[in-house]
């Protein structure tokens, strides 16, 4: 589709943030919109405001059909909605808004779905690479590094997996306790000084902090056992730096691009009732940011 196809019936969607120029969401969604031949456009809205909640509601009243929300407006999106999904309510923030028949926003948090997409990719890689050892694609022991906002969706997804033992490592154990209590999940909590031992015993390590990045504490990756996986929630150069040592040590790695595309796919399906091509969008994003995990 090109601009000449835009009409009064063209539905408008977008991503809202401050800043937002770096967002890959327009690339992802406009690719899927074109493939699905949907009469819609997806834009980036740079919203710098002291009244974000009301501004988001105004966008809905103005006819915007759906929004993705990025930092720092996820809490405002939660507050702007008239109806909130169970996952969104559990996490306390929203990254997706869907306009209902009454012109009000329904809020969801699709980061959990996105995390599960990335986890599925890692699971498949684990089963493939370690087939000779007889390992399955199921993780038994997971370590989540960080108890802040970035790791809440990961903690939710991992904490409700009954077949998996979750350990959360955080510099401030009290924050990890608050996370576990707020999500009502089961997890062991250890201090950062026990990180190396936790990593050695894990099937899956999820990094939701700056640790291992150029501005963070270096992560020590032991020589991998068959099927050990490392997942960094960031993407691009930052994640590539963080995961390079893990790859050298033989770990199966994944960066946050798969999670980004997975959460976008969940939003797209809710808006249009169409399941998009994840591999196509992931390849486009990988090309846009460079690097690879």
């Amino acid at each position: 589709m090109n601009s000449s196809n835009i009409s009064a019936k063209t539905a408008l969607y977008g991503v809202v943030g401050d800043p937002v120029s770096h967002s890959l969401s327009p690339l992802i969604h406009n690719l899927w919109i074109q493939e699905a031949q949907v009469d819609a456009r997806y834009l980036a809205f740079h919203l710098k405001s002291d009244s974000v909640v009301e501004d988001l509601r105004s966008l809905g009243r103005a006819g915007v059909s759906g929004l993705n929300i990025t930092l720092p407006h996820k809490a405002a999106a939660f507050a702007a909605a008239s109806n909130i999904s169970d996952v969104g309510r559990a996490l306390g923030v929203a990254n997706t808004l869907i306009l209902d028949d009454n012109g009000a926003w329904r809020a969801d948090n699709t980061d959990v779905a996105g995390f599960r997409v990335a986890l599925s990719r890692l699971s498949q890689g684990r089963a493939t690479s370690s087939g000779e050892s007889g390992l399955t694609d199921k993780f038994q022991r997971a370590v989540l590094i960080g108890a802040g906002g970035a790791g809440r969706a990961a903690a939710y997804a991992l904490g409700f997996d009954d077949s998996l033992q979750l350990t959360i490592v955080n510099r401030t154990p009290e924050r990890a306790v608050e996370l576990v209590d707020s999500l009502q999940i089961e997890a062991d909590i250890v201090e950062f000084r026990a990180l190396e031992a936790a990593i050695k015993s894990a099937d899956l390590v999820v990094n939701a902090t700056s640790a291992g990045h150029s501005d963070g504490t270096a992560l020590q990756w032991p020589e991998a056992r068959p099927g050990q996986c490392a997942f960094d929630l960031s993407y691009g150069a930052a994640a590539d730096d963080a995961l390079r040592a893990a790859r050298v040590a033989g770990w199966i790695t994944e960066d946050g691009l798969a999670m980004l595309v997975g959460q976008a796919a969940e939003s797209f399906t809710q808006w249009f009732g169409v399941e998009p091509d994840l591999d196509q969008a992931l390849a486009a994003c990988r090309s846009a940011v460079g690097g690879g995990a």
Side-chain angles (χ1 to χ4, degrees):
M1 293 183 180
N2 56 50
S3 59
S4 63
N5 296 323
I6 296 176
S7 72
K9 296 181 179 180
T10 301
L12 185 60
Y13 296 79
V15 57
V16 176
D18 177 28
V20 77
S21 60
H22 66 287
S23 176
L24 292 172
S25 292
L27 170 66
I28 296 168
H29 284 282
N30 284 317
L31 178 64
W32 288 337
I33 285 170
Q34 184 173 7
E35 287 297 313
Q37 297 185 330
V38 178
D39 187 8
R41 292 295 184 278
Y42 188 101
L43 304 175
F45 297 100
H46 183 192
L47 180 58
K48 194 177 186 68
S49 170
D50 293 327
S51 56
V52 177
V53 171
E54 184 55 35
D55 291 337
L56 291 174
R57 289 172 176 164
S58 295
L59 285 171
R61 290 193 295 268
V64 176
S65 298
L67 291 170
N68 289 130
I69 310 296
T70 188
L71 297 176
H73 299 324
K74 292 186 177 184
F78 184 93
S82 297
N83 186 24
I84 302 166
S85 71
D86 291 341
V87 173
R89 195 171 297 281
L91 295 183
V93 291
N95 74 337
T96 299
L97 295 175
I98 306 102
L99 199 67
D100 66 22
D101 293 338
N102 297 317
W105 290 125
R106 177 169 64 85
D108 194 8
N109 193 309
T110 63
D111 282 335
V112 173
F115 180 84
R116 287 173 173 155
V117 165
L119 197 62
S120 176
R121 286 173 53 86
L122 271 173
S123 297
Q124 292 168 11
R126 181 175 193 257
T128 300
S129 68
S130 50
E132 294 182 1
S133 68
L135 291 177
T136 69
D137 62 347
K138 297 294 184 182
F139 297 108
Q140 294 181 322
R141 296 175 301 279
V143 169
L144 172 63
I145 306 172
R152 286 184 70 83
Y156 183 94
L158 295 170
F160 282 106
D161 186 340
D162 294 334
S163 65
L164 183 149
Q165 179 183 343
L166 173 62
T167 298
I168 300 177
V169 182
N170 199 60
R171 293 188 185 279
T172 309
E174 292 78 11
R175 289 198 66 187
V177 171
E178 292 173 1
L179 175 65
V180 167
D181 289 345
S182 67
L183 296 180
Q184 298 183 332
I185 60 174
E186 296 287 336
D188 296 325
I189 297 169
V190 300
E191 296 182 8
F192 211 79
R193 62 187 178 185
L195 176 60
E196 186 174 349
I199 288 177
K200 285 182 178 179
S201 66
D203 301 315
L204 169 70
V205 176
V206 179
N207 184 20
T209 71
S210 62
H213 296 192
S214 58
D215 61 344
T217 304
L219 293 177
Q220 301 301 316
W221 297 97
E223 193 68 25
R225 292 180 282 103
Q228 281 188 299
C229 297
F231 178 19
D232 196 286
L233 297 190
S234 64
Y235 59 83
D240 200 44
D241 288 344
L243 292 172
R244 185 176 295 111
R247 287 195 295 272
V248 170
W251 289 67
I252 302 164
T253 63
E254 185 76 50
D255 70 4
L257 272 183
M259 181 174 174
L260 174 71
V261 171
Q263 65 81 25
E266 178 66 18
S267 297
F268 192 87
T269 299
Q270 291 195 41
W271 290 333
F272 300 109
V274 175
E275 293 186 8
D277 187 334
L278 275 71
D279 290 337
Q280 177 192 38
L282 185 56
C285 288
R286 189 73 67 193
S287 177
V289 303

